[in-house]
Amino acid sequence: MTTQLNDGNNEIKLVMRARQDIESFGILYDLYFPRVYKYVVYRVFDYAAADDIVSEIFERVLANLSKYDERKAPFGAWVFAISRHAILDHLRRRKAHPLLALDSLARRADPGSNTEQATLEHDRNNSLRAAIHTLSAQEIDLIGLKYSFGLTNRQIASALGKNANNVGVMLHRAINKLRGALAGEEEDDE
Amino acid sequence: MNNRSNNINIDVLNKNSSVHEEEALKKVTELLFNDQPAAESRVEKSLKERLLQRYASAQHETADSAKAPGFHHVPSRQFKWVMAGIASIIALYGILFLSVPEVQAATRNLIIRIGNLLIDNDPTDAELYVATMTSGTPTATVDPNKVCEDCRQVQVAGLLSVEQAGENAGFPVFEAAYIPDGYELVVRDVLDTDETITVDTSYRMELDPPLHNGEMMSAIIAIEQTYFKKGSPVWESSVGDVPIVEVTVRGYPGIWLEQVPIYPFQDENGDWNYANWNQLIWAEDGYNMMIQTNMPSNLLPLSELQKIAESLE
């Protein structure tokens, strides 16, 4: 059978194997690192901090993998919960040590290529991330669950303890807000 | 944030744009889907190495009790006796069978990644299809004989030149300098789907007399070069119970699979059978590569497929 691995059943199989098999854990890491990193960057808007937080998240994932119960929630929702706690811990620490100033996204402005297209893409992505950072924490969580972890509205509702219809409405509102923020930035620059 | 917004240049995001709102929202969701900030990370590789090291140490430390990392259950005395019994049986089984490499591979229920493919010992599409069709309440929705569900054009296997195939695919196409005697080039075509672009090059030889009670009239060697498009997820390819044998192909890690049940068919009595193919799979230069044949190993051995692979240029 050849199928995409984002299919729920396949993912469960992979997670179950990852508990016993190091190679499967490596594959699971490869699948989830981009998702987790994306969500964390959206929340903290800081690459250096994101590197630290994501490291902590995966340490926790590894330490607690045997406790994950696939009957209770999709794996993505479980990782999201760990991610959210790690981010809150980070934000608390940062509040306690305000001198640790926010890193700028522009610090990693090298797109890795000199082509104009790559530069445009890099700038556009940074603009998107900056615009996302203007959303509320709850809105970023919604965006993260949907576009980083790939959950359905029903799964998001379950993860956040909300009604599935409300999730749809809130997501629509958040994306609309995002669109406004992006358009606003564009106008400011003009 | 001041030097980049000019570059957004997405008309649909502009508040004054006449483009319909739904389209604008769709554009934003596309941006969200496609955004991959992980490319900025400086720890992705080192973190993985660290985690895998920790995983390996945890496995090593708990090997005696066969626990996975993070597993802290303390077994009862009765449970320990049961486990000891099972361990003895496994040990005996191991002495009897595990010295044979192929059997070793099969019993491990391997899951292995080759390029963008995750290969495991779960049932093949063909096996799932037959299981469903013979379950008493046949509700099969997946037809393993169906070639493509999201192809960009009607699939009529053509015979393109290497250059034409390369133009259609958008990348250089491998061509075999060696093909066993008697085989004739019959297909060179490009299959373009949402996730992949595959160049299929097939050779055929008429069999006289046919094999398998007259049902197999021609021998086929197919070379598939697949490019997974940007953002394409990892795909799972299940090969049933066949041993997954790790090999090296052109210097790259690969696998050899014998008699994978790929196509189901019913004989004249209505009994289900499978067309079993042998497959040599590896990944090279960003492509997933496969050479497969319907010929059994005694007629077309692995060494011949390796020779074809080595001749690709």
Side-chain angles (χ1 to χ4, degrees):
Chain A
M1 183 174 59
T2 304
T3 48
Q4 292 183 15
L5 255 185
N6 52 7
D7 170 74
N9 288 333
N10 291 330
E11 188 168 87
I12 288 170
K13 280 191 285 187
L14 180 61
V15 173
M16 290 170 83
R17 284 182 177 140
R19 289 174 180 150
Q20 304 158 7
D21 168 42
I22 190 167
E23 192 172 355
S24 300
F25 182 79
I27 293 165
L28 194 63
Y29 174 88
D30 289 341
L31 282 176
Y32 266 86
F33 186 91
R35 302 176 189 184
V36 172
Y37 197 88
K38 188 169 172 176
Y39 168 62
V40 173
V41 164
Y42 286 178
R43 280 296 303 267
V44 301
F45 193 53
D46 178 345
Y47 292 131
D51 279 341
D52 293 343
I53 296 167
V54 170
S55 300
E56 196 172 325
I57 290 167
F58 276 99
E59 299 275 5
R60 291 184 193 182
V61 167
L62 176 60
N64 293 288
L65 194 56
S66 62
K67 294 176 189 165
Y68 164 65
D69 185 347
E70 60 274 5
R71 292 163 302 182
K72 289 183 180 168
F75 186 67
W78 183 72
V79 177
F80 167 79
I82 291 175
S83 306
R84 195 157 65 157
H85 280 124
I87 289 167
L88 290 174
D89 288 347
H90 164 81
L91 293 175
R92 271 188 222 112
R93 281 197 301 269
R94 200 174 68 188
K95 206 171 175 182
H97 302 281
L99 288 177
L100 297 174
L102 271 179
D103 193 6
S104 161
L105 284 179
R107 284 268 295 276
R108 291 185 189 177
D110 176 13
S113 166
N114 293 326
T115 66
E116 191 181 350
Q117 179 62 32
T119 309
L120 285 174
E121 194 174 326
H122 183 262
D123 289 347
R124 189 184 62 206
N125 289 338
N126 267 352
S127 298
L128 173 71
R129 293 162 206 165
I132 286 171
H133 196 61
T134 65
L135 302 179
S136 71
Q138 181 177 264
E139 286 167 333
I140 299 175
D141 280 354
L142 282 167
I143 295 282
L145 281 164
K146 185 81 178 176
Y147 300 103
S148 300
F149 290 95
L151 299 190
T152 63
N153 285 6
R154 194 173 293 276
Q155 290 170 334
I156 294 172
S158 173
L160 298 179
K162 296 187 184 299
N163 176 296
N165 290 335
N166 287 349
V167 165
V169 172
M170 287 188 292
L171 260 172
H172 187 270
R173 210 174 284 155
I175 292 168
N176 219 349
K177 206 167 153 185
L178 200 53
R179 174 200 168 203
L182 283 166
E185 284 181 8
E186 196 173 36
E187 283 172 359
D188 288 347
D189 283 356
E190 284 167 6
Chain B
M1 300 305 303
N2 297 324
N3 63 344
R4 78 287 174 260
S5 292
N6 287 338
N7 295 326
I8 296 175
N9 195 24
I10 303 162
D11 290 342
V12 292
L13 296 178
N14 195 307
K15 284 173 181 169
N16 301 320
S17 170
S18 59
V19 181
H20 195 271
E21 185 191 344
E22 282 301 314
E23 220 173 302
L25 294 179
K26 196 177 156 201
K27 192 75 194 175
V28 177
T29 57
E30 270 175 25
L31 280 175
L32 286 165
F33 269 124
N34 294 331
D35 185 28
Q36 295 296 335
E40 311 281 351
S41 172
R42 288 175 180 164
V43 299
E44 182 170 8
K45 203 176 164 195
S46 59
L47 173 62
K48 183 177 180 182
E49 281 167 10
R50 202 167 72 227
L51 290 169
L52 291 182
Q53 272 173 9
R54 189 161 304 170
Y55 191 112
S57 325
Q59 264 189 332
H60 182 70
E61 284 169 14
T62 57
D64 293 340
S65 51
K67 294 174 198 167
F71 188 90
H72 301 297
H73 177 66
V74 180
S76 68
R77 184 172 291 179
Q78 190 182 13
F79 180 70
K80 280 179 182 171
W81 278 112
V82 171
M83 292 308 292
I86 292 171
S88 305
I89 294 168
I90 292 171
L92 182 61
Y93 178 80
I95 292 165
L96 288 173
F97 295 109
L98 294 187
S99 57
V100 183
E102 285 77 6
V103 177
Q104 194 172 20
T107 52
R108 280 167 59 197
N109 190 20
L110 273 179
I111 183 165
I112 191 163
R113 185 169 179 173
I114 302 287
N116 213 48
L117 271 185
L118 195 64
I119 291 141
D120 62 34
N121 284 119
D122 285 347
T124 63
D125 268 349
E127 289 172 320
L128 290 175
Y129 184 80
V130 171
T132 312
M133 296 306 283
T134 54
S135 66
T137 51
T139 53
T141 53
V142 178
D143 179 356
N145 291 317
K146 194 168 183 175
V147 177
C148 177
E149 289 183 342
D150 58 347
C151 296
R152 299 198 185 284
Q153 63 270 325
V154 178
Q155 287 305 302
V156 180
L159 186 50
L160 306 176
S161 67
V162 174
E163 292 73 25
Q164 285 171 323
E167 275 176 30
N168 290 3
F171 52 76
V173 171
F174 282 111
E175 184 181 19
Y178 170 77
I179 290 293
D181 287 343
Y183 285 84
E184 175 195 5
L185 176 66
V186 288
V187 173
R188 185 180 287 114
D189 212 345
V190 178
L191 187 70
D192 188 355
T193 72
D194 287 346
E195 303 281 349
T196 58
I197 300 172
T198 299
V199 178
D200 173 22
T201 307
S202 295
Y203 301 82
R204 189 174 63 202
M205 178 173 67
E206 297 306 319
L207 293 172
D208 187 18
L211 297 176
H212 300 310
N213 299 321
E215 285 175 357
M216 192 167 146
M217 302 180 72
S218 54
I220 296 167
I221 298 171
I223 302 170
E224 292 180 11
Q225 178 182 355
T226 301
Y227 169 74
F228 284 84
K229 293 178 183 175
K230 190 180 174 189
S232 171
V234 177
W235 284 59
E236 181 184 36
S237 181
S238 299
V239 298
D241 284 336
V242 305
I244 299 175
V245 181
E246 295 177 65
V247 293
T248 300
V249 190
R250 293 163 63 87
Y252 298 94
I255 56 167
W256 165 240
L257 306 167
E258 273 191 84
Q259 298 295 288
V260 183
I262 293 181
Y263 303 113
F265 63 90
Q266 278 181 293
D267 62 21
E268 54 194 16
N269 300 319
D271 295 327
W272 285 98
N273 288 297
Y274 299 102
N276 297 312
W277 287 52
N278 293 349
Q279 299 177 327
L280 182 62
I281 299 171
W282 75 100
E284 175 174 353
D285 291 342
Y287 303 103
N288 264 83
M289 301 294 300
M290 173 160 70
I291 300 179
Q292 59 174 341
T293 178
N294 60 346
M295 293 296 278
S297 295
N298 58 332
L299 297 176
L300 194 60
L302 169 62
S303 57
E304 277 295 282
L305 298 191
Q306 286 273 27
K307 203 169 163 185
I308 297 170
E310 292 297 336
S311 80
L312 290 174
E313 49 194 39

